[in-house]
Amino acid sequence: PELGRRFAERKRCADPECSLLMCRGKATQDFKGPDCRFVNFKKGEAVYVYYKLIGKSTELWAGSVGSDFGYFPKDLLEINHNYSNEELELPTDVSLYLF
């Protein structure tokens, strides 16, 4: 199916609202996203993951660094703590549309 302007059709979350932390990791290198939908971080910073896109854009996860929230490439994160082993597969919503 056509995804329109969404990054992905589905995502994996720890709870139905995608509000619980899935895991925490350490940034393996600096990252500056291409636009405001992405979270920027420096090597060594803690990154908290709330959901993982699946399907079309499996390389993107969504999380926070400090008070900033956004997408980032999952390959730039070294996981050092899992908060939940349960992953629910859910449809993405309008918050994933490009503006």
Side-chain angles (χ1 to χ4, degrees):
E2 176 59 40
L3 295 176
R5 297 169 57 120
R6 286 181 287 174
F7 283 128
E9 189 174 73
R10 306 204 49 84
K11 60 186 174 182
R12 288 198 175 107
C13 303
D15 67 297
E17 291 79 34
C18 298
S19 62
L20 296 178
L21 283 171
M22 296 183 79
C23 59
R24 178 188 71 225
K26 183 169 67 171
T28 59
Q29 64 186 59
D30 292 355
F31 174 70
K32 178 148 176 63
D35 59 44
C36 64
R37 295 166 297 163
F38 291 81
V39 66
N40 300 323
F41 48 74
K42 301 276 188 201
K43 181 178 180 177
E45 281 191 296
V47 180
Y48 296 87
V49 178
Y50 287 89
Y51 59 89
K52 304 170 182 179
L53 297 181
I54 56 176
K56 184 178 177 184
S57 291
T58 57
E59 73 279 357
L60 291 178
W61 287 357
S64 64
V65 176
S67 61
D68 297 327
F69 185 88
Y71 299 102
F72 62 91
K74 71 176 186 177
D75 295 339
L76 301 182
L77 190 65
E78 180 182 297
I79 302 297
N80 54 28
H81 185 78
N82 283 307
Y83 291 100
S84 173
N85 292 323
E86 186 174 335
E87 290 188 5
L88 304 173
E89 188 172 316
L90 303 165
T92 55
D93 56 27
V94 294
S95 66
L96 293 179
Y97 278 81
L98 306 174
F99 295 100

